[in-house]
Amino acid sequence: MPEMSVYNELAVYYEQLDRADRDGAREAGVVEDVLLERIGSGSLSVLDVGCGVGTHLRHMETDFECVGLDVNEGVVEVANERTDDATVLRGDMHALPFTDAFDCITMLFHTLAYAASVDDMHGILRECYDALDSGGILVVELAPFVPEAMPDDAGVDREVRTYTDDDVTITSVQVSRVEDRDLVLNSDYLVALTGEATATHHADTHTLMLFTVDEVIDGLAAAGFESVEFDPTCLQSGLFVAEKPA
């Protein structure tokens, strides 16, 4: 995931901005079930790549030794404040600073879709392979590209969300479109803090590359992973699970 200025400017509201429809505790439980089914019980270590503000870490840290990694300095600071035992570091998924270190690596919230190309995606998966210990598990959440399901005009979609509490009101407008194999998300946020006379405006653009199931499976195999599974019903948009040979 590239660094996004809006995530640094508004890191404390990260979940309200983009994760309001996610249940971190439930999803962490799903990952825990996958990990225990594949590896079994014991003292297990987890690296959460693209961890955001610790939406999953703060639930997984009660059962596992957890490290979070995110490229956005602002969300790393918030994640460290919101977790108790996890270690959260600023880092890039293209150059993971670990070797043979973890029993499980998770890449949730479509983190892998920030790869710039198929070759770039392969490189990120190799980074994960190298960072895993032998017998380790990679868990990737990703919405696969299904060409036959795309509308002829590639579509333009608009979504408006509002979040409010005693301290802040946030309204976001997201306009999304598909360009070839990229999902482009243009987002504008108005943030009104209690007691402030005017709202502030923040904007950013995300470009997510859309990969097919076969492309991801091929990338996992090319990186050296085995026992690859894909469950399209798991979490919000599907879950790939793969194993580094023991």
Side-chain angles (χ1 to χ4, degrees):
M1 179 178 184
E3 187 169 6
M4 299 288 183
S5 61
V6 73
Y7 286 157
N8 293 315
E9 296 166 356
L10 303 174
V12 70
Y13 305 121
Y14 179 89
E15 290 178 332
Q16 291 88 343
L17 291 174
D18 290 325
R19 306 293 180 233
D21 57 346
R22 305 296 295 256
D23 184 338
R26 183 190 68 80
E27 294 179 355
V30 170
V31 173
E32 180 173 350
D33 289 345
V34 169
L35 182 54
L36 294 179
E37 179 182 345
R38 286 285 192 121
I39 296 181
S41 59
S43 178
L44 302 178
S45 56
V46 176
L47 170 65
D48 188 13
V49 177
C51 66
V53 295
T55 301
H56 300 108
L57 278 178
R58 64 175 181 252
H59 302 289
M60 292 192 292
E61 69 177 354
T62 60
D63 296 312
F64 305 124
E65 181 182 344
C66 290
V67 175
L69 191 79
D70 201 284
V71 74
N72 294 288
E73 183 176 1
V75 298
V76 168
E77 292 176 358
V78 174
N80 272 310
E81 293 171 359
R82 291 185 175 180
T83 54
D84 295 318
D85 299 317
T87 299
V88 187
L89 307 171
R90 186 182 183 191
D92 190 337
M93 64 184 175
H94 293 88
L96 297 180
F98 307 102
T99 303
D100 303 329
F102 295 94
D103 298 304
C104 179
I105 293 178
T106 60
M107 300 183 73
L108 307 174
F109 294 151
H110 319 297
T111 296
L112 187 60
Y114 286 97
S117 65
V118 171
D119 286 344
D120 189 30
M121 180 260 288
H122 284 205
I124 294 167
L125 293 177
R126 285 193 295 271
E127 287 288 319
C128 293
Y129 184 92
D130 291 342
L132 280 169
D133 198 2
S134 297
I137 301 299
L138 175 64
V139 179
V140 177
E141 180 190 14
L142 197 66
F145 178 54
V146 184
E148 59 270 22
M150 300 302 297
D152 293 338
D153 61 358
V156 173
D157 189 29
R158 296 172 177 83
E159 183 176 14
V160 179
R161 292 182 179 180
T162 296
Y163 169 83
T164 188
D165 61 25
D166 291 340
D167 301 315
V168 65
T169 295
I170 303 171
T171 296
S172 66
V173 179
Q174 184 179 86
V175 180
S176 60
R177 67 186 186 279
V178 176
E179 295 181 353
D180 297 324
R181 293 286 301 277
D182 290 331
L183 176 63
V184 181
L185 307 173
N186 291 305
S187 300
D188 288 88
Y189 305 94
L190 284 177
V191 180
L193 297 173
T194 299
E196 296 291 333
T198 60
T200 57
H201 172 249
H202 309 260
D204 71 346
T205 298
H206 296 242
T207 300
L208 309 179
M209 187 164 186
L210 302 170
F211 301 107
T212 67
V213 171
D214 287 344
E215 285 172 337
V216 177
I217 290 175
D218 288 347
L220 290 165
F225 287 101
E226 298 179 351
S227 303
V228 178
E229 297 179 358
F230 174 64
D231 183 348
T233 67
C234 203
L235 296 191
Q236 194 173 65
S237 54
L239 206 64
F240 292 87
V241 181
E243 181 178 339
K244 180 176 180 176

